[in-house]
Amino acid sequence: MRILSVVGARPQFVKLAPIAAAMKGRADHLIVHTGQHYDALMSDVFFSDLGIPEPDFNLGVGSGKHGQQTGAMLTGLEEIFEQVRPDWVLVYGDTNSTLAAAVAAVKMHIPLAHLEAGLRSFNRRMPEEHNRVLTDHASDLLLAPTKVAVDHLSREGLAERTVLVGDVMTDVLFRTRAAVEARGEAVPFGMSPGNYYVSTIHRPDNTDDPDRLKLIIESLAALDKPVLLLAHPRLVGLAERHGLELETGSIRVASPLAYPQLVNAVSHSAGVVTDSGGLQKEAFLLRVPCTTIRPETEWVETVDLGWNVLVSEDLASLTSVVQRPAPQPTDAAPYGEGAAAQQVVSALLR
Ligand code: UD1
């Protein structure tokens, strides 16, 4: 069986890693990189560090407005699909690369499988929410990471196409944590263990409005420990445009980290402050308290179990929320035990 994975943005490379490994010896697996993310630190390091094979195709689409970026991908993917004629197109998560591949596949009557199906923020301001809802409804096979995701899909009439496979990011996180621990890597940037926070901010709702971004930066700057701000290119660009200095107060600005170094940095930190989806869950799995600068989350289990607190409207409370006492320990495993990728491949082969 020939399976064609389409990826393009950083979180998708992380999800691709365990899938590519699980495909070995079980399916003929090809990879398309749309080129949505193209900086070495946003793309190449993930392939090299996580042992992902070189993509078979790279569209080199790059940045642009939603329509322009998605349209360029659609045009490029159609040609590749014609050439490869896969038995399945496998798409990941909720980016513009996901939606472009979904549209290209359904138009060509190629079976479409969506990994990480059924997540919902119910916030129609987010481009990711449009992407995931449209992709789920176009897909023939919905590979859901959690029980909550399965329930969302059932409510939308998609139960018959849904399989609960678990969360592949848990697979790669556990494997990477073991490798990092075995190597005994030092905490990045000379931070002292347990005495710093890790932060990432990149969502349009937090970066595009200068007043909001200013408040977020001021709150991070006022924290009681150094804040390692791993700055996404969008944040760097917009802070510059808004005339905002990122490196103030407690904030230490650094480039985005490669995945093993990110896992190492988070696992030794006192807390995470982020608007990323994946990082909320990674913090929970590493049992590090997380504060999420968003009005809602797709990973509701992290909040229900007390390890993640959402702050959005009341940004004035951000500093004190981040400095809250650690939550009650838990051994709950809502994201599975780290064996989801094999389940994904089995579902595709079935
Ligand atoms: C995309 C995804 C988001 C995901 C995020 C992870 C969509 C709609 N959003 O958002 O779900 O959480 O990736 O990072 O697909 N840029 C660079 N170099 C790069 C990549 C981006 O400089 O390698 C800059 C460009 O100026 C670009 C901006 O960052 O305009 C935003 O990039 P884009 O891929 O459009 O969206 P993300 O914010 O990264």
Side-chain angles (χ1 to χ4, degrees):
M1 180 178 283
R2 177 172 284 183
I3 300 169
L4 185 64
S5 281
V6 181
V7 292
R10 183 168 59 171
Q12 295 170 323
F13 310 140
V14 177
K15 291 163 202 165
L16 171 63
I19 296 290
M23 291 278 185
K24 280 194 193 120
R26 299 189 73 191
D28 174 18
H29 183 226
L30 299 171
I31 299 169
V32 184
H33 188 327
T34 62
Q36 178 173 350
H37 286 174
Y38 41 89
D39 287 354
L41 288 176
M42 298 292 287
S43 174
D44 305 2
V45 291
F46 290 84
F47 283 81
S48 50
D49 285 340
L50 298 176
I52 308 170
E54 281 286 302
D56 300 276
F57 305 90
N58 193 324
L59 294 176
V61 161
S63 306
K65 291 184 183 172
H66 288 294
Q68 183 189 27
Q69 188 181 52
T70 312
M73 291 173 189
L74 191 48
T75 308
L77 287 168
E78 203 167 53
E79 273 178 36
I80 294 170
F81 292 0
E82 264 169 15
Q83 190 183 327
V84 173
R85 282 278 153 201
D87 298 297
W88 281 110
V89 165
L90 177 59
V91 297
Y92 297 68
D94 54 24
T95 73
N96 290 343
S97 300
T98 314
L99 180 64
V103 174
V106 286
K107 295 283 180 194
M108 296 177 69
H109 310 148
I110 300 170
L112 173 68
H114 185 203
L115 183 82
E116 218 174 66
L119 293 185
R120 296 289 180 267
S121 67
F122 302 103
N123 176 355
R124 289 290 175 117
R125 281 186 55 83
M126 291 175 66
E128 293 79 8
E129 185 73 357
H130 322 148
N131 291 342
R132 57 171 88 95
V133 170
L134 293 167
T135 301
D136 279 343
H137 283 259
S139 294
D140 302 284
L141 178 63
L142 297 161
L143 301 158
T146 60
K147 177 80 181 56
V148 170
V150 170
D151 292 345
H152 291 150
L153 294 167
S154 298
R155 272 199 291 280
E156 294 175 27
L158 300 173
E160 277 176 19
R161 297 183 237 164
T162 300
V163 182
L164 176 62
V165 287
D167 173 46
V168 297
M169 285 184 80
T170 303
D171 298 18
V172 63
L173 178 72
F174 286 173
R175 209 175 62 200
T176 305
R177 178 177 58 184
V180 167
E181 280 173 3
R183 287 199 294 268
E185 272 186 39
V187 181
F189 305 102
M191 293 284 166
S192 62
N195 198 36
Y196 65 95
Y197 300 106
V198 171
S199 183
T200 75
I201 310 290
H202 77 280
R203 298 237 168 243
D205 267 358
N206 286 332
T207 53
D208 294 6
D209 171 4
D211 295 335
R212 183 166 174 89
L213 183 57
K214 185 166 183 273
L215 276 177
I216 293 172
I217 292 168
E218 283 170 359
S219 306
L220 295 178
L223 282 167
D224 58 349
K225 297 179 176 61
V227 181
L228 191 53
L229 178 61
L230 305 171
H232 184 291
R234 170 192 279 279
L235 173 65
V236 175
L238 284 161
E240 209 174 278
R241 194 184 313 161
H242 303 330
L244 294 171
E245 177 60 61
L246 291 176
E247 182 117 5
T248 54
S250 299
I251 301 176
R252 308 281 173 276
V253 179
S255 300
L257 289 178
Y259 190 70
Q261 282 70 50
L262 175 83
V263 171
N264 194 32
V266 171
S267 61
H268 290 99
S269 72
V272 164
V273 192
T274 190
D275 59 10
S276 146
L279 198 50
Q280 295 169 47
K281 194 173 37 161
E282 285 154 351
F284 168 74
L285 292 168
L286 295 166
R287 294 301 188 268
V288 170
C290 183
T291 306
T292 299
I293 310 179
R294 280 182 49 192
E296 73 289 298
T297 178
E298 298 80 13
W299 303 107
V300 290
E301 302 83 0
T302 59
V303 173
D304 295 344
L305 291 163
W307 285 78
N308 189 9
V309 175
L310 308 178
V311 176
S312 180
E313 277 294 299
D314 184 19
L315 279 178
S317 70
L318 184 59
T319 307
S320 61
V321 172
V322 175
Q323 291 169 187
R324 71 192 181 276
Q328 287 299 313
T330 174
D331 53 13
Y335 304 116
E337 307 293 340
Q342 290 293 346
Q343 304 266 9
V344 168
V345 178
S346 298
L348 290 164
L349 294 176
R350 270 202 306 275

